[in-house]
Amino acid sequence: MPSQDTIRFAKALSRTLSWSLSFYPQPILNLRRRSTAGTTIDFPTINTLGFTTYLLSTSLLFFSPLIRAQYAARNPVSPEPTVRANDVAFAAHGVLLSVAVWSMFWGRLWGLEQGGGAGGGGQRVSKGVVGIGAGCVLGVGVVAGLVVLKGGEGGRDPERWAWIDVVYSFGYSKLLITVVKYIPQAWTNYKRKSTVGWSIAQILFDLTGGVLSVLQLVIDSSLQNDWSGLTGNPVKLGLGNISILFDLVFMVQHYWLYRGARMLEKEGDEEGDGERRRLLARTDDRG
């Protein structure tokens, strides 16, 4: 029978692999179609900021002795953070892939056709996304200021404003970004009445990762015989649940509401291929 550590490692590895794989279908689809049409620049833009804050949060909880000591002081029953090495690796991977997808909206870098979110033309980051990003940066700055001004022992006293609160602000910024980052794409799909150009494969991987993320957190907390591990890591729990909710929304759009648009594109592609074959055949006959 597998040990508890083995089971926990397998769950963590499966979740990280699923979520990591979810980054690849969209850029692959963009390259295959030679276009970003059907996707929004808002998603990779806010995703880059989100995974940067997540990387900072997980790295500090995993590597920093000060942050881990403050976490233990505030969670005496379950003093070890539920952040694992795979969380840090996933966050770093997310930053790199988000930047890569974001760069695809700069046509000169990749030579891709730039499509607007709801039709034609290049795209600009929406004011809403800019505002959310600025708000997250400002929020972290305010918390850091409170630690400096009101924290005890230079922010080392966990009973007052402490540096772990800055870490939590990174995490909550990521949680807020996760809540809003899917909305522009879901809205674009609704306006276009189509999911063409938006990869459903990334959603299926994301859904798998979300379910496994919640399971991993529950297993970690149950093995420690203390469910405060859930409240001690609300970001990880929230990320999993929010991802699941929006993945279900995209699946309804893709497989039910706008299925006809995909069928029309497929028929158009088949007609185009047929026309190309006929032109080639005529050229061969003349030759």
Side-chain angles (χ1 to χ4, degrees):
M1 181 178 180
S3 66
Q4 291 181 344
D5 288 340
T6 301
I7 295 174
R8 185 162 53 186
F9 174 77
K11 289 288 186 182
L13 181 61
S14 300
R15 177 189 67 85
T16 302
L17 182 61
S18 296
W19 262 352
S20 296
L21 289 174
S22 72
F23 285 95
Y24 291 92
Q26 188 63 56
I28 291 173
L29 180 62
N30 291 348
L31 292 173
R32 182 174 64 82
R33 299 174 71 236
R34 305 303 302 169
S35 172
T36 60
T39 61
T40 66
I41 192 174
D42 285 340
F43 184 82
T45 300
I46 200 69
N47 221 22
T48 299
L49 176 60
F51 274 100
T52 299
T53 59
Y54 190 50
L55 177 60
L56 291 170
S57 173
T58 53
S59 297
L60 290 169
L61 278 169
F62 188 74
F63 291 111
S64 172
L66 173 61
I67 299 303
R68 292 178 70 87
Q70 292 180 345
Y71 180 94
R74 292 188 179 184
N75 300 273
V77 179
S78 180
E80 183 181 353
T82 52
V83 172
R84 300 287 179 253
N86 63 283
D87 295 313
V88 179
F90 168 70
H93 175 265
V95 171
L96 293 175
L97 267 294
S98 295
V99 170
V101 176
W102 175 80
S103 70
M104 289 185 170
F105 287 85
W106 298 85
R108 292 182 179 180
L109 294 177
W110 295 86
L112 303 181
E113 177 187 350
Q114 302 300 302
Q123 295 191 51
R124 294 183 179 179
V125 180
S126 67
K127 293 181 180 179
V129 167
V130 172
I132 291 169
C136 289
V137 174
L138 178 62
V140 172
V142 169
V143 174
L146 289 171
V147 173
V148 172
L149 296 175
K150 296 188 175 183
E153 301 178 12
R156 294 178 178 274
D157 183 0
E159 300 302 323
R160 300 172 63 180
W161 283 99
W163 291 114
I164 193 172
D165 294 309
V166 177
V167 174
Y168 281 141
S169 71
F170 284 134
Y172 284 119
S173 295
K174 169 58 177 170
L175 187 58
L176 173 63
I177 288 170
T178 300
V179 171
V180 302
K181 73 176 184 178
Y182 294 103
I183 295 176
Q185 185 63 53
W187 179 247
T188 294
N189 293 347
Y190 168 75
K191 289 195 295 183
R192 296 172 63 239
K193 297 296 185 290
S194 171
T195 59
V196 173
W198 175 248
S199 173
I200 191 61
Q202 69 178 329
I203 298 304
L204 299 179
F205 282 126
D206 193 58
L207 177 63
T208 302
V211 171
L212 291 175
S213 174
V214 174
L215 285 177
Q216 182 190 353
L217 193 56
V218 170
I219 289 173
D220 285 345
S221 297
S222 64
L223 290 178
Q224 294 176 4
N225 198 28
D226 174 38
W227 295 100
S228 66
L230 292 174
T231 57
N233 195 355
V235 174
K236 194 172 179 180
L237 179 63
L239 288 177
N241 286 324
I242 293 168
S243 295
I244 292 170
L245 174 62
F246 276 99
D247 290 339
L248 293 176
V249 170
F250 285 121
M251 290 174 69
V252 169
Q253 287 183 328
H254 186 81
Y255 290 113
W256 181 33
L257 294 179
Y258 311 135
R259 181 173 179 271
R262 292 188 295 113
M263 300 305 294
L264 287 175
E265 187 198 39
K266 183 177 180 181
E267 291 176 0
D269 290 343
E270 291 175 350
E271 290 177 0
D273 291 341
E275 180 65 22
R276 283 191 291 271
R277 285 194 294 269
R278 286 192 292 272
L279 288 174
L280 289 173
R282 292 173 185 173
T283 302
D284 292 341
D285 291 342
R286 291 172 182 174

